[in-house]
């Protein structure tokens, strides 16, 4: 049991984790994140959140706005601690941590706070003559108690960004950080109860078993970010309660380079998008398809760019992340051992630091590097002569989370956009499209179901309730539907039931 010991009039110190929780009431004892992970009180936590939801406390705009502002203060006031934790877990450079975690989360929060009022407004729909005196609108209503399961590669971003949508939509939320990014997990578990209502929001820490135990409970929605294999277990668990699920998964994101290309700029943008976070990004370009001519120009450009970005010895560069765990380091170095491709640059690794050099490999279509998502700093380049064949190559695989095309020619960009399908699309750059809260972020097919970011997150965690408020008027017209039926009544009814009639009015 998590024992809280009173230290002074201001706070309690938890003997399980040694953290002093200032300003907390002894009630915190029940919601303690580590306890959530170690003990079987998950249903207690969910019941408490459900009671709060049923009390209606999360419904008002003021409450949602206050919680979102508190969450923003949490990130702003603890930026240093967040950067430290990200550095501990992934050796994440401060620059990358601020750009891709802290600032993206703050932007998402500010966007939601600024737009909350308009998102919550009823949406009026067009009417027929027979319903012309009625109020007909869509109400966005919260779903209830929702679960968000995060992963480790952007441990703050991928947990808090969906939470923003869930809070904005008026839900109570349980978040489950990834145990792999342990330092961020611990920090989030410590901070959330200090800043947000403990009656409405809870953190449950722990590993696979805790995640499975949590999933035995009924939630009103589950958003899962992670691998396709685990997604299958999530779906099985959700099916027991018929809980709707949003899946944010991965896959192999292609980058097609065809037609004339500004090769130096292309190399810089490709290297940045691929080796940011050491390639551990779900939207990192996984592989490149290009013609032989482009490949011959691209290789020296990639080598020069890598040297420019990370120096002669990338291991000494402070700007390169490390691989998150020994398991993933072994998986990636095994791939490098087994590839039949030619390593153009990189290939070095160091288990002590979980380091793998940014690596570019010239491979054939059926190489081991082309089988599964790489999720690390290895970039295979496949030579496919024509754009049409490259499009066929992509279309014969599962639909990716992101698809990139690099070309000076807008006809090439247009053709690729129209002839392929993917969660997101970006021309002449990588990953940038996911930084805009106006664009939905999510996969299609096996790369994911549903989307979030900005309004899309609010929609994901809302029920769109179709409402019609009727009075007693127009009874003559409405009465046309009552028996005894007749042809004249039917033709009047058909005429009055068309939406075109209303547009004319
Ligand atoms: P993972 O799927 O193993 O773990 C993610 C979460 O699931 C963790 O919180 C973990 O505790 C939990 N979990 C693990 N096994 C479970 C089980 N059997 N039942 C219930 N919960 C379980 O994480 P991973 O595979 O290392 O993540 C990498 C994958 O995530 C890649 O494929 C990547 O592309 C994808 N990803 C997708 C996005 C996106 O936004 N679409 C973002 C980041 C990563």
């Amino acid at each position: 049991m998590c024992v809280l010991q009173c230290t002074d009039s201001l706070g309690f110190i938890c003997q399980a984790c040694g953290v002093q929780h200032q300003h907390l009431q002894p009630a915190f004892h029940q919601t303690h994140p580590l306890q959530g992970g170690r003990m079987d009180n998950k249903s207690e936590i969910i019941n408490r959140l459900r009671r709060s939801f049923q009390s209606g406390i999360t419904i008002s705009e003021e409450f949602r706005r206050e919680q979102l502002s508190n969450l923003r203060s949490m990130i702003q006031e603890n930026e240093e601690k967040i950067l430290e934790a990200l550095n501990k877990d992934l050796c994440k450079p401060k620059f990358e941590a601020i750009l891709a975690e802290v600032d993206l989360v703050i932007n998402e929060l500010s966007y939601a706070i600024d737009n909350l009022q308009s998102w919550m407004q009823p949406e009026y729909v067009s009417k027929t003559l027979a319903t012309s005196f009625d109020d007909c609108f869509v109400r966005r209503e919260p779903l209830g108690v929702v679960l968000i399961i995060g992963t480790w590669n952007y441990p703050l971003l991928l947990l808090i960004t969906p939470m923003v949508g869930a809070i904005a939509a008026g839900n109570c939320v349980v978040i489950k950080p990834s145990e792999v990014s342990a330092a961020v997990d611990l920090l989030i578990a410590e901070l959330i109860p200090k800043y947000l209502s403990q009656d409405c929001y809870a953190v449950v820490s722990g590993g696979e078993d805790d995640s499975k135990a949590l999933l035995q409970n009924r939630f009103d929605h589950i958003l899962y970010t992670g691998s396709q294999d685990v997604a299958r277990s999530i779906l099985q668990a959700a099916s027991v309660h018929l809980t709707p699920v949003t899946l944010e998964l991965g896959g192999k994101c292609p980058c097609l380079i065809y037609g004339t290309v500004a090769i130096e700029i292309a190399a810089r943008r490709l290297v940045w998008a691929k080796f940011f976070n050491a390639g551990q990004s779900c939207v990192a370009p996984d592989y490149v398809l290009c013609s032989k001519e482009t490949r011959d120009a691209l290789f020296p450009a990639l080598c020069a760019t890598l040297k420019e970005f990370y120096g002669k010895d990338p291991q000494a560069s402070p700007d390169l992340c490390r691989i998150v765990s020994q398991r993933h380091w072994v998986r990636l170095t095994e791939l490098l051992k087994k590839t039949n491709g030619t390593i153009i640059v990189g290939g070095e690794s160091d288990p002590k630091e979980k380091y793998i050099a940014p690596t570019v490999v010239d491979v054939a279509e059926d190489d081991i590097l082309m089988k599964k998502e790489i999720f690390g700093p290895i970039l295979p380049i496949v030579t496919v002569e024509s754009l049409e064949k490259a499009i066929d190559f992509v279309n014969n695989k599962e639909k990716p989370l992101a698809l990139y095309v690099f070309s000076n020619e807008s006809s090439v960009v247009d053709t690729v956009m129209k002839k392929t399908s993917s969660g997101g699309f970006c021309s002449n750059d990588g990953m940038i499209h996911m930084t805009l809260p106006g664009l939905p972020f999510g996969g299609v097919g096996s790369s994911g179901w549903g989307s979030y970011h900005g309004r899309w997150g609010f929609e994901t965690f809302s029920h769109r309730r179709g409402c019609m408020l009727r009075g007693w008027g127009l009874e003559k017209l409405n009465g046309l539907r009552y028996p005894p039926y007749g042809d004249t009544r039917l033709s009047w009814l058909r005429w009055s039931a068309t939406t075109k009639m209303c547009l004319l009015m």
Side-chain angles (χ1 to χ4, degrees):
M1 184 162 152
C2 171
V3 182
L4 293 177
Q5 189 185 54
C6 190
T7 53
D8 58 32
S9 58
L10 281 180
F12 298 84
I13 190 157
C14 168
Q15 289 181 347
C17 68
V19 176
Q20 176 152 356
H21 304 290
Q22 298 286 333
H23 314 298
L24 294 174
Q25 301 305 312
F28 174 65
H29 168 211
Q30 290 169 5
T31 65
H32 191 280
L34 289 183
Q35 193 188 36
R38 284 179 189 163
M39 301 195 61
D40 191 21
N41 68 348
K42 296 174 180 70
S43 39
E44 257 173 55
I45 294 173
I46 296 157
N47 287 341
R48 195 186 63 248
L49 264 53
R50 197 166 290 291
R51 280 195 299 278
S52 303
F53 180 73
Q54 283 162 355
S55 77
I57 187 176
T58 61
I59 300 299
S60 76
E61 187 193 323
E62 292 68 37
F63 180 84
R64 302 181 198 191
R65 188 179 294 283
E66 188 192 355
Q67 298 301 315
L68 291 170
S69 303
N70 292 350
L71 195 51
R72 186 167 57 185
S73 304
M74 179 187 106
I75 307 289
Q76 286 166 334
E77 288 167 17
N78 295 282
E79 186 174 303
E80 279 309 314
K81 284 185 182 173
I82 291 170
L83 299 183
E84 253 173 55
L86 287 167
N87 194 270
K88 208 166 169 188
D89 285 334
L90 286 140
C91 227
K92 213 174 259 228
K94 179 179 168 185
F95 190 95
E96 291 190 6
I98 290 180
L99 202 65
E101 305 242 26
V102 172
D103 280 7
L104 281 187
V105 170
I106 288 176
N107 285 348
E108 185 75 19
L109 278 157
S110 302
Y111 190 78
I113 291 166
D114 291 348
N115 289 285
L116 186 62
Q117 194 182 29
S118 75
W119 293 346
M120 287 178 69
Q121 296 309 307
E123 179 187 334
Y124 287 88
V125 298
S126 57
K127 296 186 278 188
T128 59
L129 182 64
T131 55
S132 53
F133 285 172
D134 303 329
D135 271 348
C136 305
F137 55 89
V138 181
R139 245 173 84 80
R140 264 76 180 173
E141 297 185 347
L143 299 168
V145 180
V146 304
L147 171 65
I148 295 169
I149 302 179
T151 188
W152 49 264
N153 58 334
Y154 294 90
L156 184 81
L157 179 78
L158 298 174
L159 206 54
I160 304 298
T161 311
M163 193 183 190
V164 174
I167 295 175
N171 297 281
C172 287
V173 190
V174 177
I175 54 174
K176 153 72 184 77
S178 171
E179 71 283 11
V180 179
S181 42
V184 174
D185 175 357
L186 198 64
L187 184 64
I188 286 177
E190 183 201 328
L191 293 179
I192 291 277
K194 286 187 186 170
Y195 284 83
L196 298 190
S197 157
Q198 293 181 40
D199 290 328
C200 300
Y201 312 105
V203 185
V204 173
S205 298
E208 184 181 330
D209 289 344
D210 292 287
S211 195
K212 284 180 176 164
L214 192 56
L215 284 161
Q216 283 173 11
N217 296 278
R218 187 172 76 77
F219 290 94
D220 297 292
H221 194 94
I222 299 170
L223 185 145
Y224 167 77
T225 302
S227 67
Q228 292 167 351
D229 285 343
V230 174
R232 291 188 182 92
S233 317
I234 306 282
L235 282 178
Q236 271 180 354
S239 72
V240 174
H241 303 287
L242 287 180
T243 301
V245 176
T246 301
L247 297 176
E248 296 289 335
L249 311 178
K252 288 181 89 63
C253 301
C255 178
L256 282 65
I257 311 184
Y258 284 90
T260 55
V261 184
I263 206 78
E264 271 85 27
I265 303 179
R268 289 162 76 88
R269 295 190 182 181
L270 188 57
V271 165
W272 178 81
K274 177 69 192 187
F275 300 107
F276 193 93
N277 211 35
Q280 301 164 106
S281 305
C282 53
V283 285
D286 186 273
Y287 63 94
V288 168
L289 298 179
C290 62
S291 66
K292 185 174 175 306
E293 198 186 14
T294 302
R295 182 198 66 188
D296 291 346
L298 189 62
F299 283 159
L302 290 175
C303 294
T305 305
L306 281 168
K307 202 164 158 196
E308 182 192 337
F309 284 10
Y310 305 114
K312 265 195 207 148
D313 174 14
Q315 191 169 4
S317 165
D319 300 331
L320 254 188
C321 250
R322 294 300 186 254
I323 305 306
V324 73
S325 65
Q326 209 62 35
R327 180 170 74 85
H328 282 285
W329 183 87
V330 169
R331 177 182 64 79
L332 290 161
T333 47
E334 282 300 307
L335 281 176
L336 282 179
K337 276 185 209 152
K338 288 180 186 159
T339 177
N340 289 322
T342 309
I343 293 182
I344 303 299
V345 59
E348 304 82 11
S349 59
D350 180 351
K352 285 194 296 298
E353 285 191 18
K354 288 179 274 157
Y355 166 78
I356 296 180
T359 301
V360 178
V361 194
D362 183 11
V363 300
E365 288 179 14
D366 58 354
D367 191 78
I368 192 162
L369 289 173
M370 294 304 294
K371 304 280 182 228
K372 286 187 168 175
E373 179 185 9
I374 293 173
F375 219 55
I378 305 169
L379 179 65
I381 315 273
V382 184
T383 309
V384 174
E385 263 328 306
S386 70
L387 176 63
E388 289 66 34
K389 284 201 172 132
I391 290 173
D392 287 346
F393 184 89
V394 167
N395 287 341
N396 285 331
K397 289 185 176 288
E398 298 289 357
K399 291 179 182 175
L401 183 60
L403 194 146
Y404 305 110
V405 53
F406 285 19
S407 182
N408 294 349
E409 297 161 36
S410 56
S411 62
V412 171
V413 172
D414 203 48
T415 304
V416 175
M417 187 169 65
K418 288 180 179 158
K419 290 196 169 174
T420 58
S421 174
S422 60
F425 180 86
C426 180
S427 71
N428 296 331
D429 216 328
M431 301 212 295
I432 293 292
H433 63 294
M434 55 108 23
T435 61
L436 278 189
L439 292 176
F441 178 70
V444 55
S446 67
S447 58
W449 300 357
S451 59
Y452 69 114
H453 285 197
R455 170 145 203 166
W456 311 95
F458 176 85
E459 292 288 344
T460 288
F461 290 105
S462 296
H463 166 58
R464 285 175 287 280
R465 189 178 189 185
C467 299
M468 182 183 279
L469 305 186
R470 307 210 82 186
W472 299 111
L474 288 185
E475 184 55 10
K476 264 222 151 95
L477 188 58
N478 278 297
L480 290 170
R481 67 196 143 121
Y482 304 146
Y485 299 142
D487 287 349
T488 318
R489 281 179 169 228
L490 185 61
S491 48
W492 275 106
L493 199 57
R494 291 178 92 178
W495 176 76
S496 71
T498 158
T499 43
K500 283 193 195 122
M501 273 307 301
C502 245
L503 294 176
L504 293 175
M505 289 171 68

